[in-house]
Structure formats: structure tokens, C-alpha cells
């Protein structure tokens, strides 16, 4: 399975995918492209080090948003991935891309959707809101991308307990380490091996109870 990974920042989730492919926890998968909207994204360095083709196209490089959207669509069409993975991608994915790759785009979000998600919930803000609300557990979610924001069918989730001494930063780091870097590679491997389907708007995973729950 060919995947295109869209990034905007440090690329630790991209690194988890690269490492997963190299150590065999992700099978039947190759990264055909890394795209970033941000030329300063360290994720692009990670792609280069791993010998993965990368491209950077920022909305700022285009007269209109429509032109940027078209350029992003064409970039993905040319790369022709089987799956598009949003790994810390802060660009709003154009409807044209969602339609073209319907049911073949996944995203990692650093909370247990439907909590602390939707427009404006990204990066540290997600964890600040969780601490502000005083929840005892947060975590991460991998979901399919649909026309909404963080509203597509949920594939995997992993909880992370919140500590009294947590700051937004310490919580973000622990959710990345304990949840994101585990469930995103796992979701990719499941999809690459044909074990994930969407039935009536809900994700069904083959052998979920025996094969996935025990590993989560
Ligand atoms: C992660 O916290 C991810 O959940 C969110 O953005 C951050 C990306 O981090 N979508 P990185 O670029 O993968 O290190």
C-alpha cells in the first residue's frame, strides 16, 4: 500500500510510521510522498534522512486559496497514494481532496474524539482545554477524514490518564509517546492488510477483540 503523509511540524508521527515500516510493525506499506505546507517543518528533514520524496507547497505561495487547493489536489493525484495520512497537518484539507480520496484519508487527533476536537482544537490548545475541564483521562484518536472537522468514522483510540502535576506540554508529550505513536502505525498496518472497513458509518476491524484490543 502506497501512503502519502501530510505534515506541518516536528514530524514525530511521521517518524513513528517510518520506524514502524523499518521494524516490521507496519507491513505491506511504503511512503511514496511527504507533503508539508510549512518549509520549516522538521518533518521534511526526517523525510530527507529516510530518503522519502517530499514536497512543500504553502498557501502563501499562491494568489488564491483555490489555486493552492488545486495544487495540493494535483500533488496528491500525481503521487497516487492508496491512503493519505494526516500526521499533524494543520492545513484545512480541501473538499476536492476529501472527495477524490473518499474513505482513504486518515487523521491522528490528540484527544478522545468527540471530546476536545473540531475547529480550533489543535496542538497544545487541545490539552489546555482538557486540563481546564478537569477530565481524568484523555488520549488520541485515529479516524477517517470526511467533509467535517474531526468528524469521520473512528478507527482506533487509546486512553492516557491525566496526572495532577500535568501541564499541557507534559500531557501532549505523554499522549504522543503512549498513544499517537502506537495507534497511527497500528491503523496503517490494519488498513494495509485489508482488515478495516466502514459499515453504516462505523469502522469494523477484523479480529478487533483478539488481535487489536490485546495490543492496545
Ligand atoms: C500531534 O500532537 C498530533 O496529534 C497533532 O499534531 C501533532 C503533530 O506532531 N495532530 P508531529 O508533527 O507528528 O510531531
Amino acid at each position: 500500500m502506497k501512503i502519502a503523509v501530510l505534515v506541518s511540524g516536528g514530524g514525530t508521527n511521521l517518524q513513528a510510521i517510518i520506524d514502524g515500516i523499518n521494524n516490521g510493525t507496519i507491513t505491506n506499506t511504503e511512503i511514496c510522498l511527504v507533503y508539508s505546507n510549512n518549509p520549516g517543518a522538521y518533518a521534511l528533514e526526517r523525510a530527507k534522512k529516510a530518503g522519502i520524496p517530499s514536497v512543500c507547497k504553502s498557501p502563501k505561495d499562491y494568489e488564491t486559496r483555490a489555486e493552492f487547493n488545486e495544487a495540493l489536489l494535483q500533488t496528491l493525484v500525481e503521487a497516487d497514494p492508496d491512503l493519505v495520512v494526516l500526521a499533524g497537518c494543520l492545513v484545512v484539507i480541501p473538499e476536492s481532496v476529501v472527495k477524490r480520496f473518499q474513505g482513504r484519508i486518515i487523521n491522528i487527533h490528540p484527544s478522545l474524539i468527540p471530546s476536545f476536537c473540531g475547529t480550533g482544537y489543535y496542538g497544545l490548545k487541545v490539552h489546555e482545554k482538557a486540563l481546564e475541564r478537569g477530565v481524568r483521562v484523555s488520549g488520541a484518536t485515529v479516524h477517517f477524514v470526511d467533509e467535517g472537522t474531526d468528524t469521520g468514522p473512528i478507527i482506533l483510540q487509546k486512553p492516557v490518564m491525566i496526572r495532577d502535576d500535568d501541564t499541557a506540554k507534559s500531557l501532549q508529550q505523554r499522549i504522543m509517546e503512549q498513544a499517537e505513536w502506537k495507534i497511527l502505525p497500528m491503523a496503517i498496518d490494519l488498513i494495509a492488510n485489508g482488515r478495516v472497513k466502514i459499515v453504516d458509518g462505523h469502522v469494523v476491524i477484523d479480529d478487533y477483540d483478539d488481535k487489536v484490543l490485546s495490543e492496545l
Side-chain angles (χ1 to χ4, degrees):
M1 177 174 78
K2 283 172 37 181
I3 66 173
V5 185
L6 279 53
V7 296
S8 296
T12 62
N13 278 284
L14 167 66
Q15 193 62 54
I17 298 168
I18 293 169
D19 296 347
I21 291 171
N22 290 341
N23 67 31
T25 49
I26 300 178
T27 57
N28 295 334
T29 300
E30 63 154 321
I31 303 174
C32 62
L33 179 72
V34 169
Y35 158 84
S36 179
N37 62 302
N38 168 14
Y42 188 66
L44 290 170
E45 286 307 307
R46 296 179 191 271
K48 211 177 292 174
K49 281 200 191 104
I52 299 167
S54 61
V55 65
C56 179
K57 290 184 176 176
S58 162
K60 298 190 193 88
D61 302 338
Y62 296 85
E63 292 285 305
T64 66
R65 189 70 192 212
E67 284 173 69
F68 166 74
N69 288 347
E70 183 56 25
L72 177 56
L73 175 64
Q74 286 318 314
T75 299
L76 291 173
V77 168
E78 271 156 45
D80 190 29
D82 301 298
L83 182 71
V84 177
V85 179
L86 309 185
C89 179
L90 297 180
V91 162
V92 174
I93 302 303
E95 201 176 323
S96 57
V97 170
V98 175
K99 282 198 180 345
R100 179 68 182 251
F101 292 92
Q102 187 79 41
R104 294 192 291 142
I105 308 176
I106 65 174
N107 179 49
I108 176 88
H109 182 77
S111 76
L112 296 178
I113 288 175
S115 297
F116 312 115
C117 66
T119 307
Y121 281 88
Y122 57 87
L124 268 185
K125 173 90 172 283
V126 175
H127 309 291
E128 287 163 356
K129 289 293 181 188
L131 293 176
E132 195 179 295
R133 181 63 185 82
V135 293
R136 291 293 186 192
V137 63
S138 189
T141 302
V142 181
H143 63 94
F144 283 107
V145 172
D146 63 8
E147 284 70 22
T149 304
D150 302 330
T151 51
I154 289 171
I155 304 168
L156 293 176
Q157 293 187 301
K158 186 164 168 54
V160 172
M161 301 312 290
I162 290 178
R163 299 166 46 94
D164 276 349
D165 60 359
D166 262 324
T167 62
K169 204 86 188 103
S170 66
L171 178 59
Q172 177 182 53
Q173 187 60 31
R174 202 160 66 254
I175 287 176
M176 284 207 274
E177 286 167 3
Q178 295 182 8
E180 297 179 36
W181 301 344
K182 288 203 179 345
I183 62 175
L184 185 56
M186 188 184 276
I188 292 169
D189 184 60
L190 288 167
I191 294 168
N193 290 283
R195 293 180 50 199
V196 175
K197 47 182 176 296
I198 301 175
V199 179
D200 299 335
H202 286 81
V203 170
V204 176
I205 298 175
D206 294 349
D207 294 337
Y208 178 76
D209 294 354
D210 304 337
K211 288 272 176 56
V212 175
L213 264 187
S214 56
E215 284 173 32
L216 271 184

